[in-house]
């Protein structure tokens, strides 16, 4: 049983030594050339598959700041739409007309509430993602402080429509919310 399990080791198969040797040669070549290790040329036996240059460009584009902002805006719009639909469904109709609402009126109100909340959530998500990405890019690191700064900037910009006091309260509220979420979610 042991002979069957460790047949490659017992037979003296040198494939692992050759693979390690090729990795060592690539590391030495990159060290001597003062360039980073060419990971796209590493052998696939080490858990890294070679990446086509076009695939690398697409990956870089998808992790850029504008792409992250668009992704967060779309997800925020969907989440806000869900919340809007849910809140419109449980909302008590406050109408002066004693006649019951028609299905068309209910659907129209639900659509208005869904799109309104979707736009708001999408705007907040896009603004937060863009400011966080820009701060991370500028500082060169991703930390809790950056997310708190991004929350403060986003809250301040949203509250600025109402004046300086709402901007300060919005900045403080968003910064505190960003810190609490970051702390408890463990990012």
């Amino acid at each position: 049983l042991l002979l069957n399990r460790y047949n490659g080791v017992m037979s003296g198969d040198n494939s692992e030594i050759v693979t390690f040797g090729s990795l060592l040669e690539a590391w030495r070549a990159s060290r001597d050339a003062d360039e980073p290790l060419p990971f796209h040329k590493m052998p696939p036996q080490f858990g890294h598959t070679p990446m086509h240059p076009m695939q690398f460009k697409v990956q870089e584009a998808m992790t850029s700041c504008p792409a992250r902002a668009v992704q967060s805006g779309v997800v925020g719009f969907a989440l806000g739409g869900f919340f809007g639909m849910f809140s419109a469904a449980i909302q008590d109709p406050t109408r002066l007309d004693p006649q019951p609402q028609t299905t068309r009126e209910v659907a129209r109100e639900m659509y208005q509430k869904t799109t309104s909340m979707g736009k708001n959530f999408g705007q907040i998500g896009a603004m937060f993602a863009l400011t966080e990405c820009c701060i991370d890019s500028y500082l060169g690191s991703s930390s809790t402080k950056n997310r708190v700064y991004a929350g403060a900037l986003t809250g301040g910009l949203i509250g600025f429509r109402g004046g300086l006091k709402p901007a300060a309260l919005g900045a403080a509220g968003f910064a505190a919310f960003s810190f609490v979420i970051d702390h408890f979610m463990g990012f």
Side-chain angles (χ1 to χ4, degrees):
L1 179 67
L2 288 175
L3 185 60
N4 288 338
R5 179 178 283 177
Y6 298 108
N7 191 17
V9 175
M10 300 298 272
S11 67
D13 186 16
N14 291 335
S15 64
E16 294 179 34
I17 296 171
V18 172
T19 306
F20 181 73
S22 65
L23 178 66
L24 190 59
E25 287 174 18
W27 180 77
R28 285 183 183 152
S30 67
R31 182 194 62 189
D32 294 340
D34 290 330
E35 295 177 7
L37 185 62
F39 286 108
H40 62 280
K41 296 180 182 176
M42 284 179 62
Q45 289 87 359
F46 289 100
H48 190 287
T49 56
M51 190 180 293
H52 190 272
M54 188 56 136
Q55 186 180 7
F56 183 74
K57 288 179 184 177
V58 169
Q59 182 180 1
E60 287 292 316
M62 292 305 290
T63 56
S64 67
C65 291
R68 285 175 60 183
V70 168
Q71 291 168 357
S72 295
V74 169
V75 170
F77 182 82
L79 185 66
F82 175 74
F83 284 146
M85 190 181 320
F86 180 74
S87 65
I90 62 172
Q91 178 180 339
D92 186 28
T94 54
R95 293 172 23 131
L96 299 175
D97 190 13
Q99 296 287 338
Q101 284 183 312
T102 64
T103 306
R104 176 172 279 172
E105 290 173 344
V106 171
R108 185 178 297 131
E109 286 181 13
M110 186 176 284
Y111 174 77
Q112 289 172 348
K113 185 98 168 175
T114 300
T115 55
S116 173
M117 288 189 76
K119 287 177 187 177
N120 289 338
F121 271 68
Q123 179 186 19
I124 291 170
M127 285 177 64
F128 182 82
L130 185 64
T131 54
E132 180 192 6
C133 185
C134 290
I135 290 171
D136 286 347
S137 298
Y138 180 74
L139 296 178
S141 67
S142 180
S143 66
T144 302
K145 289 191 306 186
N146 297 356
R147 287 182 275 283
V148 171
Y149 296 153
L153 188 59
T154 302
L157 288 172
I158 291 172
F160 192 66
R161 288 186 257 179
L164 289 178
K165 188 174 180 180
L169 291 174
F174 263 81
F177 181 73
S178 297
F179 177 76
V180 167
I181 290 296
D182 198 52
H183 179 70
F184 287 113
M185 296 296 282
F187 291 118

